[in-house]
């Protein structure tokens, strides 16, 4: 595959998964907008390369009532950091809720300042 | 698939089939751009993975994905063509009203095997089948149509007359297909 074809295919994945909240790509696209991140920077934040970022976009958004279980499956498949992805998803799902009520879940909830470096005392459920 | 799949990562698991699927799509739609092919593949992949309709005993994953992607590509190509036609200058000829109703017949059958039967019944000769392929893809470039009909040696006015006769013949058969299916109207 030529670099141009690869770029075209990647763009198609980003574009089409960004249309439907059923796919993780939707939330990652919003996070890119929120944080003004390019794909490479987003991939780095999640601990993966761009090829695995593409696969991550194609995974289903973790269900609210099975969040940790679904998150684990998706991260095992793509190599993404569970903690980093959970933070991204929770941040964007809060920002895009129709009302301002806070969710009961505490996963990643306190990390409002997303550009801070990761702290050392976090739960060790990363890959 | 050799192993039980996980619905949460199914689209990601099927993604590596991209090259095989796009190669097949390109054979059926040689005029489609790479971007359109990739869009169709991804849209078909997402629809197919979300639907959970795939059954290994019915065929390969590649064939399943090709089917999903072909439907998406037909819509994409028509949408692109319609958009270009709207932007063109007033001198361009307008697609006849009957075209929309004839396309509706194939669109309505797009998800079933009847679509191929409809094609076989409406386009009987090789030239008619070639013309129908271009028409389904939304391609009405006079030079390509003339090549498909084998009349590129004729002057432009005769080419157009030949095209119109072929077009009218196919559309007449297409619009009468629902009558035949319900037993109403004359037979083939």
């Amino acid at each position: 595959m030529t670099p141009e074809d690869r770029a075209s295919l990647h763009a198609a994945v980003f574009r089409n998964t960004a249309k439907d909240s059923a796919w993780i790509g939707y939330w990652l696209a919003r996070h890119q907008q929120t944080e003004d991140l390019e794909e490479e920077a987003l991939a780095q934040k999640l601990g993966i390369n761009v090829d695995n970022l593409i696969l991550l976009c194609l995974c289903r958004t973790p269900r609210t009532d099975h969040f940790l279980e679904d998150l684990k499956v998706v991260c095992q498949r793509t190599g993404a950091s569970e903690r980093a992805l959970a933070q991204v998803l929770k941040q964007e799902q809060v920002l895009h809720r129709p009302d301002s009520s806070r969710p009961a879940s505490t996963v990643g909830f306190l990390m409002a300042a997303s550009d801070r470096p990761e702290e050392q005392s976090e739960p060790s459920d990363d890959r | 698939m050799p192993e039980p799949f996980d619905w949460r990562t199914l689209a990601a698991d099927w993604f590596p089939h991209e090259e095989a699927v796009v190669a097949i799509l390109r054979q059926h739609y040689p005029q489609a751009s790479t971007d359109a092919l990739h869009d169709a593949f991804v849209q078909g992949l997402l629809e197919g993975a979300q639907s959970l309709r795939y059954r290994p005993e019915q065929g390969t994953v590649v064939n399943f994905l090709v089917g999903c992607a072909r439907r998406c590509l037909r819509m994409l190509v028509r949408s692109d063509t319609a958009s270009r036609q709207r932007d063109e200058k007033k001198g361009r000829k307008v697609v006849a009203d009957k075209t929309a109703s004839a396309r509706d017949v194939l669109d309505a059958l797009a998800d079933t095997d009847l679509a191929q039967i409809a094609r076989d019944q409406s386009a009987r000769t090789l030239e008619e089948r070639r013309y129908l392929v271009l028409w389904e893809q939304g391609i009405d470039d006079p030079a390509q149509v003339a090549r498909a009909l084998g009349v590129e040696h004729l002057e432009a006015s005769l080419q157009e007359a030949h095209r119109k006769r072929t077009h009218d013949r196919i559309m007449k058969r297409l619009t009468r297909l629902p009558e035949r299916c319900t037993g109403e109207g004359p037979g083939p």
Side-chain angles (χ1 to χ4, degrees), chain A residues 1 5 8-10 12-13 15-17 19-20 22-23 54-55 58-60 63 69-70 73-74 77, chain B residues 6-13 15-16 18-19 26 34-35 38-39 41-43 45-47 49-50:
Chain A
M1 181 181 286
D5 280 353
S8 165
L9 180 60
H10 286 185
V13 172
R15 184 167 51 248
N16 287 286
T17 57
K19 294 176 184 175
D20 185 346
W23 306 99
I54 294 297
L55 296 182
L58 294 168
C59 292
R60 298 291 290 272
R63 296 164 292 178
E69 172 195 337
D70 292 351
V73 167
V74 162
R77 176 62 181 85
Chain B
D6 192 304
W7 62 273
R8 292 165 287 199
T9 61
L10 187 55
D13 293 336
F15 184 72
E18 175 269 335
E19 213 164 320
R26 211 183 284 277
T34 299
D35 287 347
H38 286 156
D39 255 331
F41 166 72
V42 173
Q43 288 175 20
L45 175 68
L46 297 180
E47 279 180 21
Q50 202 163 17

Side-chain angles (χ1 to χ4, degrees), chain A residues 54-119:
Chain A
I54 294 297
L55 296 182
L56 185 58
C57 288
L58 294 168
C59 292
R60 298 291 290 272
T61 300
R63 296 164 292 178
T64 305
D65 51 350
H66 293 82
F67 188 86
L68 292 180
E69 172 195 337
D70 292 351
L71 183 78
K72 184 175 182 178
V73 167
V74 162
C75 290
Q76 280 180 341
R77 176 62 181 85
T78 62
S81 158
E82 289 183 37
R83 183 182 170 282
L85 181 58
Q87 172 198 330
V88 167
L89 291 174
K90 287 298 181 179
Q91 175 181 322
E92 296 309 318
Q93 286 170 353
V94 166
L95 285 173
H96 289 89
R97 284 169 75 89
D99 57 28
S100 59
S101 60
R102 301 291 191 175
S105 168
T106 58
V107 176
F109 177 68
L110 295 177
M111 302 300 290
S114 61
D115 57 349
R116 288 174 185 266
E118 291 187 3
E119 298 179 5

Side-chain angles (χ1 to χ4, degrees), chain B residues 22 39 41 47-48 53 80 103 105-106 111 162 167-168 182:
Chain B
V22 169
D39 255 331
F41 166 72
E47 279 180 21
R53 280 186 290 117
D80 282 351
R103 279 182 182 166
V105 174
L106 282 177
D111 289 331
H162 196 93
H167 186 83
D168 291 346
T182 59

